């Protein structure tokens, strides 16, 4: 053990001696206050380096690159050529191969290519609604289905499993929801207030591969001044991930309000009156996205 420590001790002692010598030289050259200035400069440089590292971590994720139909067709043609070559090699192998294992795999690839051709020619847009449990996904999905019942562009809505950032079971449901977003063209991520750190990380994962709209639901649970503050906070949290226009506030299932009516005889009648859902801004944003990006969503 002593032998192993000799080299580190020699190196450490040498560095310490060099440091003391350097400080002594600086003291003679610039004096005591000069030493303080050097340390101040080194400290400032360290702080700046830390800020640069933090800025790198905060660099916004890049949106998926857009593609055109020509690129997709060329890529699919290349894939079909490869699958054809694989099929020929399986049928007439140069060397002995487990053909019974290879043939099903080639058949599966051929089936996937056939399904891709169907998907690229479909009329409907697949919309996934995801978010934590209790965020109002089910009611929102029902409202949207009703709103698009007679629309020219067909939307196929799918509610993904609700998750909770506080439980292990929730993380499992979150992983399932993320996996299911792969079959969607557009994702509506629903929150009920300022986005949590766990939700933000999930949004980053979704945005990296799918067109996403952040939906602030249960707007009616907050005072008007608080609503504006939450909207601004949400837009700031997803800045660089989503444009401000893709953060939309709604009230899919507003809480009934108490109505009081005074009678001529002095009595008072009270009842709870249902409120109409407020999803008009989300509908308008979806219409804009479909008008401008429909083909891109499918591709």
């Amino acid at each position: 053990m002593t032998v192993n420590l000799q080299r580190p001790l020699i190196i450490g002692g040498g560095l310490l001696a060099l440091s003391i010598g350097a400080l002594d030289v600086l003291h003679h050259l610039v004096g005591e206050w000069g030493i303080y200035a050097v340390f101040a400069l080194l400290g400032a440089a360290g702080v700046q380096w830390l800020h640069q590292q933090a800025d790198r971590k905060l660099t916004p994720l890049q949106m998926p690159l857009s593609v055109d139909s020509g690129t997709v067709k060329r890529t699919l043609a290349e894939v079909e050529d490869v699958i054809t070559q694989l099929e020929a090699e399986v049928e007439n192998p140069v060397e002995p191969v487990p053909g019974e294992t290879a043939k099903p795999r080639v058949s599966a690839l051929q089936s996937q290519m056939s399904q891709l051709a169907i998907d690229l020619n479909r009329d409907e847009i697949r919309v996934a609604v995801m978010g934590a449990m209790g965020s109002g996904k089910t009611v929102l999905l029902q409202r949207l289905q009703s709103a698009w019942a007679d629309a020219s562009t067909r939307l196929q809505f799918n509610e993904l499993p609700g998750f909770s950032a506080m439980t292990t079971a929730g993380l499992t449901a979150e992983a399932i929801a993320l996996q299911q977003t792969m079959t969607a063209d557009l994702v509506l991520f629903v929150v009920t207030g300022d986005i949590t750190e766990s939700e933000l990380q999930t949004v980053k994962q979704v945005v990296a591969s799918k067109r996403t709209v952040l939906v602030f639901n249960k707007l009616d649970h907050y005072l008007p001044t608080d609503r504006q503050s939450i909207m601004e906070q949400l837009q700031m949290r997803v800045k660089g991930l989503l444009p401000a226009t893709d953060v939309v506030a709604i009230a899919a299932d507003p809480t009934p309000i108490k109505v009081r009516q005074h009678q001529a005889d002095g009595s008072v009648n009270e009842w709870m009156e249902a409120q109409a859902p407020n999803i008009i801004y989300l509908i308008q944003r979806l219409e804009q996205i479909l008008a401008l990006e429909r083909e891109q969503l499918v591709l």
Side-chain angles (χ1 to χ4, degrees):
M1 183 66 69
T2 305
V3 175
N4 292 334
L5 287 176
Q6 283 179 349
R7 181 169 296 178
L9 285 174
I10 293 172
I11 294 175
L15 290 175
L16 179 61
L18 287 173
S19 300
I20 295 174
L23 288 175
D24 186 57
V25 171
L26 281 173
H27 178 73
H28 286 291
L29 289 176
V30 298
E32 184 176 354
W33 290 105
I35 294 289
Y36 294 151
V38 170
F39 279 118
L41 289 173
L42 290 174
V47 171
Q48 184 178 4
W49 181 83
L50 289 174
H51 279 298
Q52 289 175 348
Q53 297 304 310
D55 291 340
R56 289 180 182 177
K57 292 181 180 180
L58 294 175
T59 300
L61 299 177
Q62 296 296 322
M63 292 289 286
L65 294 176
S66 60
V67 295
D68 57 80
S69 58
T71 302
V72 172
K73 290 178 180 178
R74 287 192 299 272
T75 303
L76 292 180
E78 293 172 0
V79 174
E80 288 178 348
D81 290 340
V82 173
I83 294 177
T84 301
Q85 293 174 16
L86 287 174
E87 185 179 19
E89 291 178 8
V90 169
E91 294 294 337
N92 301 292
V94 178
E95 298 178 359
V97 294
E100 295 302 321
T101 302
K103 286 182 179 179
R105 294 180 180 178
V106 175
S107 298
L109 290 174
Q110 292 171 331
S111 298
Q112 291 177 16
M113 286 297 297
S114 299
Q115 186 60 49
L116 273 175
I118 296 173
D119 287 345
L120 289 173
N121 292 317
R122 57 188 162 85
D123 295 327
E124 78 276 4
I125 300 296
R126 299 166 181 168
V127 181
V129 182
M130 72 181 303
M133 296 178 63
S135 58
K137 302 186 303 298
T138 302
V139 175
L140 173 58
L141 185 145
Q142 295 170 350
R143 305 293 190 205
L144 292 173
Q145 286 177 328
S146 177
W148 253 273
D150 302 321
S152 57
T153 301
R154 292 194 302 163
L155 298 186
Q156 178 184 342
F157 294 98
N158 180 31
E159 180 182 353
L160 305 186
F163 54 86
S164 171
M166 304 303 293
T167 63
T168 303
L171 293 177
T172 302
E174 180 181 351
I176 295 173
L178 282 170
Q179 185 178 19
Q180 293 183 3
T181 60
M182 293 299 100
T183 60
D185 304 313
L186 175 67
V187 175
L188 304 181
F189 195 99
V190 185
V191 297
T192 57
D194 190 13
I195 192 169
T196 66
E197 185 60 31
S198 176
E199 288 172 330
L200 181 59
Q201 295 304 317
T202 305
V203 168
K204 289 180 179 180
Q205 295 181 62
V206 176
V207 169
S209 60
K210 293 295 175 180
R211 185 69 170 84
T212 309
V213 175
L214 182 63
V215 181
F216 168 30
N217 192 20
K218 301 188 179 183
L219 183 69
D220 57 301
H221 290 193
Y222 300 90
L223 295 173
T225 53
D226 294 333
R227 299 173 188 174
Q228 182 62 30
S229 175
I230 293 173
M231 277 293 290
E232 293 175 355
Q233 184 71 13
L234 286 172
Q235 291 171 347
M236 184 182 68
R237 294 289 298 277
V238 298
K239 187 177 181 181
L241 297 171
L242 296 171
T245 52
D246 283 340
V247 181
V248 184
I250 66 167
D253 189 24
T255 304
I257 62 173
K258 181 182 288 187
V259 178
R260 179 176 298 174
Q261 186 181 59
H262 294 270
Q263 305 296 322
D265 59 1
S267 62
V268 178
N269 292 334
E270 292 184 347
W271 67 92
M272 300 301 292
E273 187 172 288
Q275 300 298 299
N278 179 12
I279 61 171
I280 184 63
Y281 294 115
L282 177 58
I283 291 176
Q284 290 176 349
R285 184 57 187 147
L286 289 178
E287 288 175 341
Q288 293 170 354
I289 292 173
L290 293 174
L292 298 174
E293 307 174 34
R294 185 188 177 283
E295 181 182 14
Q296 186 64 216
L297 291 175
V298 175
L299 291 177

